[in-house]
Amino acid sequence: MKSITLLPNSHKGLKIIMIHFPFDEEIKNHIKLLPEVKWSQTLKSFYTKDSISNRNLLYKHIRLKHWFVDYNKLKKQVIPSSKTTAKLVLPVLSKNLGLELSNFKRWLQQKRLSDNTVNTYVEVTAFFLRYAILKKTENYSVKLIEQFNYDFIFKENKSVSYQNQCINGIKKFLLFRGVEIELSNIKRPKKEKQLPSVLSVDEVKAIFNNITNLKHKTLLSLLYSAGLRIGEALNLKIDNIDSKRMLIHIKQAKGKKDRYTLLSHSFLKLLRAYYLAYKPKDFLFEGQNGKKYSNASAQAVLKKSVQNTKINKKVTLHTLRHSFATHLLENGTDIRYIQELLGHSSPKTTMIYTHVSQTSLKNIKNPFDEL
């Protein structure tokens, strides 16, 4: 019997259900029949928004094929029933609009946008087009976009960054269609300026000491020791490691830029032990069938280790990159070098670490001490 596992997770500020299964064309095609199920390039998984109705829909849809559904992890996260305003239910796209959306995706790809950006713009545009069908209009006016903005984003309490992505995606679609519309009047909320969560050196040590699996330990150690984004680490190939110059070559990262970052001597010992044990052939970190490793698996490992060390901070894979930059700054590294290592286009982005650096804060004399 074929088996499918349903797992709780979060994506773009929403609670979701990830749909995991060994690659199988029949399962994939059956899952895609559900209009609310999406594919996430970031998670490398099919998913849908977590709700009671979507859980029931998934169970019934999968059981139509008499396949086994493992939903034990979902049982632990019970969703209370709500008597609030009914959720906005969007109709399915017509075949013609689905085809146009496919053409729009190819158009975006020709603009050499990143895969994540392309997938996000296509996803939010699909929601907008379905909303237009709900409103029985093909007039994509500023008024319709503002209504969509309120009903689909504001009332659903979606993040500011997601709201801006929606507006950007719709703008690109209208440009693709050759529709002239003035979107500058649509007010965009300012993104919250939040300082990154940073781990101490002792906390980083504790997390790594709590990981026994060699592959997991090597991957997470790489994120911290080189200050990498998870996507950059998973895209690394064996020949990107330059042990003679003690550098790591990051190719075509965010903004389509190449850069070099540090290769730690201590990490290199760990990397060599990992290489001998796993013998990757193409990507440095391989998952099943020689494909790239999943960042969802890496996040799960980190989460478990953080829980075991009883660290009460919110820790993600990106926290390791933030901690790398902050610790460099506290050790006296020039901010311009940190900017180059992280691959930031502007020094303003890197300057955020001056706000979380213990060294810079310790040098400030508190006036209360003078009383």
Side-chain angles (χ1 to χ4, degrees):
M1 182 184 289
K2 295 181 180 181
S3 175
I4 297 174
T5 304
L6 303 181
L7 299 169
N9 206 335
S10 59
H11 185 51
K12 297 180 180 176
L14 293 175
K15 288 186 176 180
I16 64 164
I17 303 169
M18 289 173 59
I19 307 163
H20 273 198
F21 54 88
F23 181 77
D24 184 291
E25 198 70 31
E26 185 184 8
I27 296 179
K28 185 181 81 170
N29 292 334
H30 187 63
I31 291 296
K32 286 171 70 177
L33 291 174
L34 291 172
E36 298 302 350
V37 169
K38 304 294 177 189
W39 170 259
S40 167
Q41 188 66 26
T42 305
L43 299 174
K44 304 290 183 190
S45 173
F46 286 100
Y47 73 95
T48 186
K49 185 178 176 181
D50 196 354
S51 67
I52 291 174
S53 59
N54 279 352
R55 289 184 181 202
N56 291 334
L57 188 68
L58 275 172
Y59 301 152
K60 290 176 182 177
H61 188 68
I62 295 169
R63 293 302 292 166
L64 284 174
K65 292 283 190 177
H66 303 289
W67 295 332
F68 175 73
V69 186
D70 180 356
Y71 53 89
N72 285 323
K73 295 285 176 67
L74 282 182
K75 284 181 181 177
K76 297 175 183 176
Q77 295 200 359
V78 178
I79 297 179
S81 59
S82 174
K83 295 182 181 178
T84 55
T85 309
K87 175 179 164 46
L88 189 67
V89 178
L90 299 176
V92 179
L93 284 175
S94 66
K95 188 175 275 189
N96 286 340
L97 281 176
L99 182 62
E100 186 170 22
L101 209 58
S102 297
N103 293 333
F104 174 52
K105 183 175 184 177
R106 283 195 291 271
W107 182 80
L108 290 172
Q109 289 168 335
Q110 289 168 5
K111 299 282 183 187
R112 299 297 181 95
L113 299 177
S114 73
D115 288 343
N116 283 345
T117 301
V118 169
N119 291 329
T120 300
Y121 284 179
V122 170
E123 180 185 64
V124 298
T125 302
F127 284 133
F128 174 68
L129 293 176
R130 291 167 65 191
Y131 181 81
I133 296 171
L134 182 70
K135 295 297 180 181
K136 299 182 172 142
T137 182
E138 292 184 5
N139 179 21
Y140 304 139
S141 61
V142 171
K143 184 178 179 181
L144 180 69
I145 297 168
E146 287 175 337
Q147 286 177 328
F148 171 74
N149 187 36
Y150 180 78
D151 288 340
F152 184 73
I153 302 171
F154 178 76
K155 284 172 71 175
E156 294 281 331
N157 199 28
K158 291 179 179 168
S159 69
V160 169
S161 59
Y162 187 71
Q163 182 172 349
N164 284 325
Q165 285 176 328
C166 283
I167 295 171
N168 287 337
I170 294 167
K171 280 178 70 174
K172 288 288 186 186
F173 179 72
L174 295 177
L175 181 64
F176 160 73
R177 264 202 166 194
V179 176
E180 291 187 12
I181 189 169
E182 184 52 61
L183 289 179
S184 59
N185 294 329
I186 296 179
K187 290 185 179 179
R188 290 169 177 256
K190 288 185 179 179
K191 194 172 180 180
E192 304 95 329
K193 291 184 178 179
Q194 297 179 338
L195 293 177
S197 177
V198 171
L199 297 163
S200 69
V201 172
D202 287 339
E203 286 171 331
V204 174
K205 279 182 189 175
I207 288 172
F208 291 159
N209 288 339
N210 224 282
I211 302 171
T212 54
N213 181 283
L214 183 57
K215 178 188 275 190
H216 296 158
K217 190 169 188 173
T218 306
L219 174 56
L220 295 183
S221 297
L222 173 63
L223 297 181
Y224 172 70
S225 68
L228 300 188
R229 304 175 179 96
I230 181 60
E232 294 170 346
L234 297 181
N235 283 327
L236 276 180
K237 299 201 172 180
I238 297 164
D239 59 3
N240 295 149
I241 305 297
D242 188 344
S243 57
K244 290 183 178 178
R245 297 170 64 208
M246 294 305 292
L247 295 172
I248 302 173
H249 190 185
I250 313 300
K251 294 185 177 180
Q252 295 297 284
K254 192 173 182 179
K256 301 292 181 185
K257 294 180 296 184
D258 282 16
R259 76 176 190 280
Y260 283 96
T261 189
L262 306 176
L263 175 60
S264 155
H265 288 278
S266 297
F267 172 73
L268 184 57
K269 294 176 185 176
L270 181 64
L271 183 63
R272 282 172 171 159
Y274 158 76
Y275 183 82
L276 289 173
Y278 286 87
K279 296 182 174 59
K281 294 180 176 59
D282 187 17
F283 289 105
L284 191 58
F285 297 97
E286 294 176 343
Q288 294 180 347
N289 304 320
K291 294 181 180 178
K292 283 190 291 186
Y293 193 65
S294 162
N295 66 353
S297 300
Q299 182 63 58
V301 171
L302 178 62
K303 184 178 179 180
K304 184 178 179 182
S305 180
V306 170
Q307 288 172 344
N308 290 340
T309 53
K310 295 185 170 48
I311 294 172
N312 294 322
K313 297 175 182 176
K314 182 183 177 182
V315 180
T316 66
L317 295 170
H318 214 66
T319 305
L320 297 174
R321 174 175 158 91
H322 291 320
S323 302
F324 165 81
T326 305
H327 297 162
L328 280 179
L329 188 64
E330 290 175 347
N331 287 334
T333 308
D334 191 293
I335 195 97
R336 290 169 297 179
Y337 294 137
I338 299 174
Q339 179 190 343
E340 290 295 323
L341 293 172
L342 295 178
H344 288 162
S345 300
S346 167
K348 289 181 181 178
T349 310
T350 319
M351 286 298 288
I352 194 171
Y353 297 110
T354 62
H355 298 289
V356 292
S357 165
Q358 280 188 358
T359 306
S360 57
L361 294 176
K362 281 180 179 177
N363 289 334
I364 300 172
K365 194 167 186 178
N366 194 311
F368 190 82
D369 295 333
E370 300 294 318
L371 297 181

